[in-house]
Amino acid sequence: MKVFQTDEIRNIALIGAAKSGKTTLAENMLFEGKMINRKGTVDDKNTLSDYRPIELERQISVNSSLLYTLHNDIKINILDAPGFSDYTGDILSSVSVADTAILLVNGQSGVEATTENAWRQADKTEKPVVFFINQLDHHNANFDEAVRQLKDYFGDKVTIAQYPVKTGEGFDSIIDLMFMKMLKFKQGGGAPEVLDIPDDELEKAEELRRKLIENAAEGDEALMEKYFENDTLSLDDTRLGIKLGMITRGIFPVFCGASKHGIGVYRLMDFVVYTCPSPDQVAPRKTTAGKEFHCKKAEPSALFIFKLSNEQHLGEVSLIKVYGGEIYEGQDLINPRTGNKERVSQLFIVNGKNREKVERVIAGDMAVTIKLKDARSNDSLMDPKAADAALEPIAYPEPVFVTAVKAASSTDDEKLGSVLQDMHRIDPTIIAALSREQRQLILQCQGEYHMNTVKWYLDNVHKLETIFYSPKIPYRETITKAARADYRHKKQSGGSGQFGEVHLMVQPYFEGYKDPTDFPVRGKEEHKLTWGGKLIFNNCIVGGSIDARFMPAILKGVMENLEEGPLTGSYARDIVVYVYDGKMHPVDSNEISFKLAGRHAFSDAFKNAGPKIMEPIHDFAVRMPEDMMGAVMTDLQGRRAIIMGMDSDGKYQIIKAKVPLAEMDRYSTSLSAITSGRGTFAMKFAEYAQVPGDVQSKLLKAYEEKLKEED
Ligand SMILES: Nc1nc2c(ncn2[C@@H]2O[C@H](COP(=O)(O)OP(=O)(O)O)[C@@H](O)[C@H]2O)c(=O)[nH]1
Ligand SMILES: [Mg+2]
């Protein structure tokens, strides 16, 4: 296998709506480059990029695939990304390591919600974007409308570089404004026939070309001058101008075709090779310490692991991009995250499921390696002399979907936990953690579809039967007034018995609360609770009615109650306790008796002290197209949301609100349904607030029933 130098490499990510034709385009690019001699199709389940069992079953891309093809001796690395927003993690990681994003638009549907999501990822990573309006062989494809929408959504830097002569069945000709020629393609692909632009298209073509040249030259003064002098630009200068414009994101050129039939594909590859930037021509990747890697061979070796994947016959592979120097077999590198050495054992150049061994990989190129000791997505491996900091990791999106999960058989719970941890290592947007408070394994991810993907792997790969259910809401319990209670714990069984009696009073804790004057406070302990709030525990015993040595046991009983509050079993907080009287038995009193007496006395007092349930309230913001605002608002009102304000952002509106977490179960699914996938939201814990009376009654009843069931 040839070793490709940095300037012989182009890295592109194919992104865009699901079903826009990314996988089909990739397959056709491979065919054009003679990497395959027969094209597979998504429908026949034999493409090189959708090869994983889940992808074959569902006929969609779930993971990004790394592929490559050749065009005029240049290696084009292709990342074929998924389209669904639930797989944004993979869309983002693909875009992050590519040097140009090719954003496919289905010519029948225009800008879809997932088109916008793909755009956002390219925007976030500040990548050059080329639009490819695809599927123009469909009778209802509409190029002009698609372009209108692109400009509408993404601004007027969206610039036509090509347009179709006639769309629909038989579509094969494209006017190319860079060449000022008409390209006529054969069904199935190949290099096009280059023809003069027909007379009746000339005026339109000239007008569009002017716009293209203006936008291309805009970023570069020398080019601008040349253009004004000669009223045109040479092909080389046009390419240079567009390249510079793409890098600074001053131009987003629009191409077109029908990838399934190879129409426009050869030319698009030509554009990738001659106009899209090579890896060392785009913005560098910084380290977390601010040092820059420009994909230059002279730099110290540095690679970034942008994805892990489990592959048949190989096991776990790491997909890498080389950001500096070169990587070769047997090389020792350092992982700055751990400080440990990693040896690069084997390197492969891959085409989806096919692979070929290589000895070295030069800066700018992508490859896979296997058998790393301790690798995660987002890790980097660095030359020992440059290992002080890692290459900047990808900032994955915050989770939008939360669920609890457990194994159908509790003996599998531990295995489930470790399988999910491993999934996180591979896909950082799958986050699982055991919540001590909720006593549940909580899974966070990018949507219900993403959750179903996790479940698919659990079912089919790990053979783990699981149950997904709503997570428990972390309520808090507290009191609103003072109350007293006595409790005597007494048990006579055989020889020794148990006896302990506790009289106590509770009152709410707040800054500046006052101790009662009925009894003296002889010892005061302040406990900061790990879940927030305080417990103040007062020893007010006079005359030795309870020995001081039993006080810790009483405190323990109270603490148990705080950890599993009397109303709903949630954490209780902000309470002052006064133990002011009690009784002992000379023989039968022991710690366990006083712990139990303390626990019951506290629980009884608590229930009489105007107890209330507090619920978590989140700061919330939702963004949706203007015309969907009414529907989103109505839905929010049904969720007890308090609207805090509104903002507009172009064609979008943003509603800010405070929402009770209890009402937001599976919100991402609802929002997606209400807004046809166009809405996005974010929320973050803000504070605890008292639940309304009717909600409290419901919660109390539910907990009582649960306790009865457990008895
Ligand atoms: N008629 C037509 N169908 C296409 C074209 N490109 C893709 N398709 C079909 O559209 C569907 C989705 O294509 P796929 O490549 O999986 O899209 P992806 O989800 O973007 O990867 C498949 O059935 C393809 O055969 C095209 O240019 N013309
Ligand atoms: Mg696909």
Side-chain angles (χ1 to χ4, degrees):
M1 178 83 202
K2 183 181 164 197
V3 173
F4 290 87
Q5 302 302 314
T6 308
D7 59 354
E8 298 173 316
I9 297 161
R10 302 290 179 273
N11 295 308
I12 61 172
L14 304 182
I15 58 173
K19 303 271 170 209
S20 54
K22 302 176 292 296
T23 298
T24 305
L25 176 60
E27 190 78 5
N28 275 267
M29 287 180 151
L30 263 58
F31 181 75
E32 295 286 3
K34 305 202 168 48
M35 310 308 298
I36 48 176
N37 42 33
R38 217 184 127 251
K39 281 189 234 175
T41 70
V42 177
D43 312 83
D44 293 336
K45 308 187 179 189
N46 58 354
T47 62
L48 227 50
S49 55
D50 283 359
Y51 58 88
R52 301 172 184 90
I54 185 171
E55 294 174 323
L56 297 177
E57 188 180 307
R58 299 197 174 165
Q59 291 192 36
I60 57 151
S61 313
V62 169
N63 286 277
S64 295
S65 292
L66 176 59
L67 307 149
Y68 81 95
T69 188
L70 292 173
H71 188 78
N72 294 359
D73 298 327
I74 300 290
K75 181 182 181 220
I76 305 176
N77 289 316
I78 305 168
L79 283 160
D80 174 22
F84 283 111
S85 303
D86 283 51
Y87 306 129
T88 295
D90 258 31
I91 305 172
L92 181 62
S93 65
S94 297
V95 169
S96 167
V97 293
D99 304 313
T100 302
I102 300 196
L103 207 168
L104 275 80
V105 177
N106 185 333
Q108 304 168 88
S109 11
V111 174
E112 302 172 58
T114 40
T115 314
E116 284 187 83
N117 181 54
W119 166 267
R120 277 197 296 274
Q121 309 318 314
D123 206 39
K124 212 188 289 178
T125 45
E126 299 180 344
K127 294 292 172 173
V129 174
V130 176
F131 289 101
F132 187 76
I133 302 183
N134 192 32
Q135 311 222 11
L136 292 179
D137 57 314
H138 276 286
H139 69 277
N140 52 351
N142 189 336
F143 177 82
D144 293 338
E145 172 57 17
V147 172
R148 193 195 63 73
Q149 291 183 16
L150 288 177
K151 289 189 186 211
D152 195 22
Y153 279 92
F154 311 128
D156 50 11
K157 289 174 180 165
V158 174
T159 313
I160 297 175
Q162 291 186 331
Y163 69 89
V165 176
K166 187 176 146 294
T167 57
E169 211 181 319
F171 159 66
D172 62 358
S173 297
I174 293 170
I175 307 284
D176 193 292
L177 305 169
M178 288 175 71
F179 292 150
M180 274 312 261
K181 291 286 176 189
M182 181 167 89
L183 310 178
K184 189 169 158 60
F185 291 84
K186 281 192 286 290
Q187 295 295 328
E193 213 181 321
V194 181
L195 305 169
D196 284 337
I197 296 177
D199 288 345
D200 55 348
E201 292 291 341
L202 214 50
E203 196 181 325
K204 177 177 172 189
E206 268 164 6
E207 192 191 315
L208 288 172
R209 175 169 164 86
R210 196 161 307 123
K211 184 83 197 137
L212 176 70
I213 301 287
E214 274 172 16
N215 283 5
E218 202 172 50
D220 189 284
E221 261 178 50
L223 282 182
M224 217 45 182
E225 257 171 49
K226 256 193 202 175
Y227 175 57
F228 283 131
E229 243 164 63
N230 309 328
D231 200 30
T232 186
L233 280 183
S234 68
L235 178 60
D236 280 350
D237 282 342
T238 308
R239 283 175 167 156
L240 179 65
I242 291 180
K243 178 190 292 200
L244 295 175
M246 280 169 62
I247 294 170
T248 53
R249 308 188 88 233
I251 186 170
F252 302 111
V254 177
F255 283 72
C256 66
S259 62
K260 190 177 178 179
H261 305 296
I263 314 285
V265 177
Y266 185 96
R267 166 65 180 120
L268 181 67
M269 289 164 73
D270 219 58
F271 178 76
V272 168
V273 165
Y274 294 108
T275 307
C276 289
S278 59
D280 54 345
Q281 292 174 327
V282 294
R285 194 169 201 109
K286 289 193 176 126
T287 67
T288 50
K291 192 166 176 279
E292 293 179 344
F293 279 83
H294 294 84
C295 290
K296 298 241 194 271
K297 213 170 155 182
E299 289 170 328
S301 299
L303 69 83
F304 181 70
I305 301 173
F306 61 93
K307 184 176 168 60
L308 300 183
S309 171
N310 268 310
E311 302 293 328
Q312 250 179 348
H313 309 305
L314 270 189
E316 187 174 288
V317 307
S318 305
L319 281 72
I320 60 169
K321 178 172 179 192
V322 182
Y323 276 93
E326 54 181 47
I327 305 296
Y328 50 88
E329 284 191 7
Q331 189 178 19
D332 284 330
L333 297 168
I334 303 285
N335 183 338
R337 177 176 58 81
T338 58
N340 292 338
K341 196 172 81 178
E342 279 277 8
R343 172 156 298 177
V344 179
S345 62
Q346 292 178 53
L347 288 166
F348 298 93
I349 299 289
V350 295
N351 241 339
K353 62 190 163 192
N354 298 342
R355 58 192 155 262
E356 222 177 307
K357 233 162 146 315
V358 283
E359 271 169 23
R360 62 185 62 231
V361 184
I362 308 295
D365 208 350
M366 296 188 190
V368 313
T369 183
I370 56 171
K371 297 205 179 99
L372 291 177
K373 280 190 310 230
D374 173 21
R376 296 184 188 168
S377 294
N378 244 349
D379 271 353
S380 28
L381 299 180
M382 316 288 284
D383 186 306
K385 64 177 181 285
D388 58 311
L391 294 169
E392 213 148 62
I394 297 159
Y396 284 102
E398 293 288 320
V400 296
F401 190 89
V402 187
T403 174
V405 56
K406 63 182 177 192
S409 148
S410 61
T411 51
D412 284 338
D413 270 334
E414 207 167 306
K415 181 174 172 201
L416 174 63
S418 80
V419 166
L420 288 174
Q421 285 316 323
D422 211 46
M423 284 191 181
H424 170 70
R425 219 167 43 80
I426 291 174
D427 177 354
T429 60
I430 297 169
I431 301 165
L434 198 60
S435 160
R436 201 180 138 220
E437 165 164 21
Q438 287 148 293
R439 297 180 189 90
Q440 291 173 323
L441 182 57
I442 302 293
L443 172 72
Q444 294 181 286
C445 59
Q446 291 296 315
E448 195 157 349
Y449 210 89
H450 197 199
M451 176 196 85
N452 285 328
T453 309
V454 172
K455 183 153 174 51
W456 189 95
Y457 278 103
L458 293 173
D459 288 349
N460 293 285
V461 178
H462 303 283
K463 309 285 179 217
L464 260 175
E465 207 183 313
T466 48
I467 298 163
F468 287 75
Y469 58 116
S470 294
K472 212 173 134 194
I473 300 299
Y475 292 108
R476 294 285 182 268
E477 303 179 8
T478 194
I479 53 176
T480 55
K481 60 181 192 199
R484 299 182 185 207
D486 309 340
Y487 193 89
R488 173 182 293 180
H489 174 75
K490 189 175 170 190
K491 211 163 160 189
Q492 207 59 54
S493 56
S496 63
Q498 293 184 353
F499 184 93
E501 185 174 318
V502 171
H503 301 193
L504 56 72
M505 181 186 131
V506 297
Q507 70 168 18
Y509 166 81
F510 51 88
E511 203 67 52
Y513 76 95
K514 292 246 161 18
D515 287 326
T517 48
D518 316 25
F519 32 73
V521 172
R522 303 178 34 176
K524 192 182 266 302
E525 292 173 29
E526 186 174 311
H527 296 273
K528 263 202 175 133
L529 303 168
T530 52
W531 51 88
K534 280 183 185 167
L535 165 74
I536 315 284
F537 186 74
N538 295 294
N539 179 351
C540 310
I541 297 294
V542 276
S545 57
I546 302 176
D547 264 4
R549 68 191 163 100
F550 290 127
M551 278 310 189
I554 299 172
L555 172 63
K556 214 165 176 188
V558 169
M559 274 296 187
E560 280 180 6
N561 245 309
L562 293 179
E563 253 190 77
E564 203 166 340
L567 303 182
T568 62
S570 312
Y571 288 141
R573 59 178 281 175
D574 294 331
I575 295 161
V576 194
V577 177
Y578 303 90
V579 180
Y580 63 88
D581 204 357
K583 265 201 188 79
M584 292 185 294
H585 184 278
V587 184
D588 292 347
S589 278
N590 55 15
E591 282 178 8
I592 191 88
S593 313
F594 274 100
K595 190 180 92 174
L596 287 168
R599 186 158 100 192
H600 283 104
F602 178 84
S603 176
D604 291 348
F606 189 97
K607 285 179 179 160
N608 291 323
K612 63 178 182 182
I613 301 171
M614 314 279 284
E615 64 178 342
I617 302 291
H618 284 233
D619 281 330
F620 167 89
V622 56
R623 183 176 180 276
M624 72 260 116
E626 214 161 7
D627 56 333
M628 293 169 176
M629 190 159 117
V632 172
M633 191 73 100
T634 307
D635 173 75
L636 279 179
Q637 273 150 4
R639 297 174 189 273
R640 298 194 278 121
I642 297 167
I643 308 297
M644 306 300 287
M646 269 171 252
D647 248 330
S648 63
D649 173 13
K651 307 154 59 71
Y652 277 79
Q653 291 288 320
I654 296 167
I655 303 175
K656 292 189 177 142
K658 288 208 184 287
V659 294
L661 180 65
E663 304 289 340
M664 302 305 282
D665 195 23
R666 300 194 174 212
Y667 183 70
S668 69
T669 308
S670 311
L671 180 66
S672 185
I674 300 171
T675 63
S676 315
R678 302 248 178 202
T680 52
F681 75 101
M683 56 191 250
K684 193 167 166 260
F685 172 77
E687 70 219 355
Y688 273 96
Q690 192 170 350
V691 302
D694 55 328
V695 178
Q696 174 147 335
S697 320
K698 250 187 248 161
L699 289 170
L700 291 177
K701 214 158 138 206
Y703 187 63
E704 255 168 44
E705 263 157 34
K706 180 172 167 255
L707 289 183
K708 254 188 242 152
E709 253 171 52
E710 285 172 3
D711 269 352

